[in-house]
Amino acid sequence: MIKKLLQNRLLSHPYVLWSALFLGMALLLTWPLALHLTTHIPGFGGDGLIFLWDMWWTKYSLFNLHQHPLHCDYLLAPQGVSLTFHTLILLPSLLSIPLQGLFGLITAHNLLFFAGFILTGLGMIRFFRETAIRFPANLVGALLFTFSPYVLARATGHLNLFFTWPIPWAMTFFWRLRRHGRWQDAFWLGAVLGLSLMTDLHYPIFISLCLLLISCCDIFLQARRQRRLPLTFIKKMITSGSIALLGICLFGWPLIISIVKRILSGESYRTSILTQNAFSLDVASLVLPDSIQTIWGKSIKAIREGLLIDGIEQMGYVGIVPIVLLIIGIWLYKRGSLTPGFWRWSALAFAFALLSFGPYLKLAGYQEYTVWDTTFKIPMPFHLLRALPFADFFRTPNRLQVMMLFCLAVAAAYSYQALLRYLPADKRKSMLLTLLVVIVMYLDIWPVPFPLTDARIPKTFSDPSAFANTTTLLDVPLGWLSGSLKIGSMDSRYQYYQTAHQKRIIAGYISRIPDAMIYYYPYRPGISLFMCPWDSEVWQGENLVATKVHETLAQLQVDGIVLHKDLLTDASQHKMQTYLEQTLQCTLKTDTESIMLYACERPE
C-alpha cells in the first residue's frame, strides 16, 4: 500500500513529503495535543484563549454584525475599542472562518497551529534551495528554525509570534531578487510582508531590518569593488523597494489604512526605556534550557527563577546543535572548506543577538556592574534601533531573537553541508550522522508532554435562556489588561466565554489600547468594589450607596452581573452576594457550580 502511495505523482511530490515530515514532527513535539484537537489548545491559557476569541470575533463581526473586525464594541462597553494594535492575527482569523464552520472554533485553531509548522518548514526548504543548501543539510537547518526553542515557547501562548513562516518566505523572495533582479520577486516579497502585517506587527519590521542590513552590506561591497558609489545598483534597489511597497499595500491594506487612521488621530504607544530593558534578553538565557523542556528544563527552572529570567518573555535558549555547528563552521572556514555565506549569516545572527539584549546588557539578572567603586551600565546597539520610526512601539526587544535563530539556522546549515563534504564520502554514514544530529536536537528541546489548556466552555455560558434579555455583562472580579497596564483582576476566560454567550462585556484583555480608555472605569462608584471584593478598603463610601452604583451601571449600560465563584474566596463571595441582593436589589437568574448570574435593574 505504501508503495502505491509513493507511486502517486501528487503524494510523491517533494513538498508533500516535506509537509508530511514537518507535520509528523509537530505532532510528536506537541503530544498529546493530537489526542485533544477538539477540546484543548497548546499552552497555559492566558493569552492563548484570547487568540480563540480573535478567530471567533473576526467571523462574528463579519457575518453576524456585518462590520469591520478591527472595531469592536463588544469589549470595554459601552465605549468599544479599536483592535488595530491588538494581536488580532487577522489573516489566520480570516482563514479560520471556513474551518470554524466545518470543525468548530477549537479545532480550527489547532489546524492552523499545525499548518504554521508546515509553512515555516516549507519556507526554510525553499530558501535553502535558493542558497544551494542541499539534503541533508537543508533538513538540519529547517528543523533548527521550525522547531526552535523560541517557536515552541511561543506556541504555549503567543500564537501571533508562533507564526514565523513569513521570515523564510520573505528571505526566499529577497534572495531571488538579489540573484535575478526580477520585479516579480520584489512584488512577492512585498506580498509576504503584507500578509505578515496581517498576522502581527513585529515580524514585518524585523524582516525589513534584516533586509536593510543585507542591502547596506551589498552596497558597501559593490562600492569597494567599483571604488565608487554604485548608483546603478542603488537605483535598482530603490525600484525593487517601490515594487515591494506596492505588494505590501495590496496585501496588507485593511490593517495599513486602520493604522494610518489611528496615528493621524493622535493615538501613540511610547514605551519607556525601562520597560524595554525589563523585557530584554538576558545573556544567561542563551545557555539555560527553557522551562517547557521536560528533560532538564524543569530542574533549571529554579536557577532561572533565582536569576529573575523565568517566563515566556525571558526564554532565549539557543540549543546545543546550533552552537556546535557554529564552532565546526569556524574551524572549517579556517581550513578553506566553507563559503563566505557562513560568515554573512553568522554576523547577522550576532547582530540580532546584540539587538535582542535591549538597551543595556543583562547578565544573570544583573544590569549594573561595579568596578573599582564605579557603578555603570553597558549600553547596547538597541539604542540605535530606538531612533527608528515605530521602534518604541515594541516593549520586548528579546523578540528580535527570532531573527538571530533564523540566521543561526542558516549558518548551521552551511556548516553542516561543508562538514559532510569534508568527511569521507559515504552516504550511509552521512545519513546516520544526520539522524544522530536530529536526535540530539530534539532531546535538547524535548517538551513532551506539551502543556495544554482545556478550552471547553462551561455549559451555562452556552445556554441562551440563561442570558436572555441581557445585553451587557459585568464580571466579578472585574479587570482590564492592555500590554504593560493591568487594572483589577482580568481573567482571559471572561473574554473567551463571550464566544458562547455573545454579550457585550465591560472588561477587556487587549494587547494595545490607550490607557485613558481603561481609566474611564475604575473611579466610578462601585467599580473598585467589583474589581477587588476581597479588599476591605473598598467596602466604604460611594461604593455602598445604591443610587450612585446604579447610576454607574446605567451609564455603562450594564444589565447583567456575573459572579465567578472560582475566582473568589468563600468570604468575599458571600459578601458580594449579600451586596448584590440586598444593597443593589439585583435578581438572581442562574446559580451553578462556577457562576452566579444576576439581572440588575435600577429600582424606581
Side-chain angles (χ1 to χ4, degrees):
M1 182 178 178
I2 296 178
K3 185 176 180 180
K4 289 183 178 180
L5 288 174
L6 292 176
Q7 289 175 348
N8 185 292
R9 293 184 63 182
L10 176 61
L11 295 179
S12 61
H13 191 280
Y15 284 106
V16 173
L17 298 177
W18 280 117
S19 299
L21 173 65
F22 293 126
L23 176 60
M25 291 291 186
L27 292 171
L28 174 64
L29 290 177
T30 59
W31 191 264
L33 178 59
L35 300 178
H36 307 280
L37 285 178
T38 62
T39 58
H40 290 63
I41 61 171
F44 304 100
D47 292 352
L49 294 174
I50 298 303
F51 293 106
L52 281 172
W53 180 89
D54 290 342
M55 294 180 181
W56 166 81
W57 170 251
T58 301
K59 178 176 179 286
Y60 187 77
S61 62
L62 289 174
F63 290 90
N64 294 71
L65 303 178
H66 309 292
Q67 68 181 46
H68 200 301
L70 290 178
H71 176 73
C72 177
D73 53 0
Y74 270 55
L75 301 177
L76 275 74
Q79 301 179 93
V81 62
S82 170
L83 301 180
T84 301
F85 296 110
H86 171 63
T87 52
L88 186 60
I89 53 169
L90 190 56
L91 176 62
S93 295
L94 289 170
L95 294 175
S96 76
I97 291 176
L99 297 176
Q100 290 184 51
L102 291 172
F103 307 109
L105 179 59
I106 298 174
T107 305
H109 172 284
N110 290 331
L111 291 177
L112 289 172
F113 173 75
F114 285 118
F117 284 113
I118 297 172
L119 284 173
T120 300
L122 292 180
M124 292 298 294
I125 295 300
R126 194 67 182 85
F127 174 73
F128 285 135
R129 181 178 175 182
E130 296 299 325
T131 52
I133 302 295
R134 306 304 179 195
F135 185 84
N138 61 350
L139 169 65
V140 172
L143 294 180
L144 280 175
F145 181 66
T146 305
F147 301 99
S148 64
Y150 172 91
V151 172
L152 292 175
R154 298 300 172 179
T156 63
H158 289 166
L159 195 64
N160 57 320
L161 300 174
F162 161 77
F163 287 124
T164 54
W165 61 265
I167 298 174
W169 282 106
M171 296 306 299
T172 296
F173 289 114
F174 177 71
W175 224 250
R176 288 170 63 90
L177 179 62
R178 288 178 78 248
R179 290 177 59 195
H180 308 296
R182 296 181 302 193
W183 69 267
Q184 295 94 328
D185 294 320
F187 177 79
W188 287 117
L189 168 61
V192 172
L193 292 175
L195 293 174
S196 177
L197 186 67
M198 296 277 283
T199 302
D200 186 77
L201 294 176
H202 289 83
Y203 291 163
I205 295 179
F206 292 175
I207 295 169
S208 299
L209 179 60
C210 185
L211 301 186
L212 179 63
L213 291 175
I214 296 174
S215 299
C216 290
C217 183
D218 288 343
I219 293 174
F220 173 78
L221 294 176
Q222 287 277 354
R224 186 178 180 183
R225 187 180 303 115
Q226 300 177 12
R227 297 182 181 276
R228 59 186 175 84
L229 192 64
L231 295 178
T232 303
F233 181 72
I234 294 175
K235 289 179 181 179
K236 288 182 179 179
M237 289 182 60
I238 294 175
T239 302
S240 298
S242 301
I243 296 173
L245 183 60
L246 175 63
I248 293 174
C249 294
L250 287 177
F251 285 85
W253 67 267
L255 196 60
I256 293 173
I257 292 176
S258 185
I259 290 174
V260 172
K261 286 182 177 179
R262 303 308 298 180
I263 292 176
L264 292 178
S265 68
E267 187 171 325
S268 64
Y269 300 92
R270 296 193 62 86
T271 303
S272 70
I273 196 169
L274 294 176
T275 300
Q276 289 177 326
N277 203 55
F279 290 101
S280 298
L281 189 64
D282 192 299
V283 176
S285 291
L286 298 175
V287 296
L288 292 176
D290 302 328
S291 56
I292 65 170
Q293 208 275 4
T294 54
I295 297 180
W296 50 71
K298 299 294 184 183
S299 59
I300 295 179
K301 182 176 176 63
I303 299 176
R304 280 184 163 274
E305 290 177 345
L307 298 176
L308 302 178
I309 55 175
D310 193 38
I312 190 171
E313 293 292 2
Q314 298 296 337
M315 294 183 181
Y317 185 53
V318 174
I320 295 174
V321 172
I323 298 301
V324 171
L325 288 178
L326 190 65
I327 295 172
I328 291 175
I330 296 172
W331 176 73
L332 289 172
Y333 187 81
K334 289 183 176 180
R335 300 181 68 88
S337 302
L338 203 58
T339 63
F342 169 79
W343 283 116
R344 177 193 297 115
W345 293 105
S346 298
L348 283 169
F350 181 69
F352 278 104
L354 292 178
L355 291 174
S356 67
F357 292 150
Y360 298 100
L361 184 68
K362 289 196 298 184
L363 177 60
Y366 291 95
Q367 305 176 41
E368 296 183 346
Y369 311 92
T370 301
V371 177
W372 295 324
D373 298 327
T374 302
T375 301
F376 60 93
K377 292 182 179 181
I378 302 177
M380 300 302 290
F382 187 81
H383 282 285
L384 300 175
L385 192 60
R386 277 181 58 87
L388 297 176
F390 307 112
D392 58 357
F393 173 80
F394 303 104
R395 64 185 181 93
T396 51
N398 60 7
R399 294 177 181 180
L400 282 157
Q401 67 175 290
V402 68
M403 298 305 303
M404 173 194 72
L405 293 171
F406 170 78
C407 297
L408 194 59
V410 177
Y414 270 102
S415 175
Y416 190 66
Q417 181 163 273
L419 176 64
L420 294 180
R421 289 175 178 172
Y422 180 81
L423 297 175
D426 188 323
K427 188 174 182 180
R428 182 179 179 184
K429 290 183 179 179
S430 296
M431 295 306 297
L432 288 175
L433 178 61
T434 302
L435 179 62
L436 177 62
V437 169
V438 172
I439 291 174
V440 172
M441 186 191 313
Y442 283 104
L443 288 177
D444 189 29
I445 62 172
W446 190 252
V448 179
F450 202 77
L452 303 179
T453 295
D454 190 338
R456 287 173 290 189
I457 297 176
K459 293 182 179 180
T460 304
F461 291 97
S462 302
D463 182 5
S465 61
F467 294 88
N469 302 318
T470 303
T471 59
T472 304
L473 295 174
L474 185 151
D475 295 278
V476 180
L478 179 63
W480 299 267
L481 187 145
S482 172
S484 57
L485 177 63
K486 181 178 180 180
I487 295 180
S489 306
M490 178 59 192
D491 192 300
S492 61
R493 286 178 291 178
Y494 300 170
Q495 193 161 314
Y496 173 52
Y497 291 163
Q498 189 182 61
T499 65
H501 61 66
Q502 300 179 359
K503 305 298 180 182
R504 291 178 175 84
I505 62 174
I506 301 299
Y509 195 111
I510 308 167
S511 52
R512 289 291 187 280
I513 55 172
D515 293 350
M517 295 193 69
I518 294 180
Y519 286 122
Y520 172 82
Y521 299 95
Y523 303 105
R524 296 172 179 270
I527 295 299
S528 60
L529 193 151
F530 293 131
M531 290 165 54
C532 305
W534 48 79
D535 186 352
S536 59
E537 294 184 1
V538 302
W539 292 90
Q540 59 183 340
E542 291 184 331
N543 288 343
L544 302 181
V545 180
T547 55
K548 294 285 187 179
V549 177
H550 274 292
E551 183 178 342
T552 294
L553 296 177
Q555 291 172 347
L556 300 180
Q557 302 175 12
V558 172
D559 50 13
I561 297 178
V562 180
L563 200 64
H564 294 269
K565 296 180 179 179
D566 55 337
L567 299 178
L568 297 171
T569 62
D570 291 340
S572 58
Q573 177 188 327
H574 177 72
K575 201 170 184 180
M576 180 56 71
Q577 285 180 245
T578 304
Y579 173 75
L580 292 175
E581 294 172 5
Q582 297 183 10
T583 303
L584 299 185
Q585 299 181 21
C586 296
T587 304
L588 180 63
K589 293 179 61 179
T590 303
D591 187 357
T592 68
E593 292 183 1
S594 58
I595 70 164
M596 299 179 72
L597 174 61
Y598 285 89
C600 53
E601 298 180 1
R602 187 171 185 174
E604 297 297 336

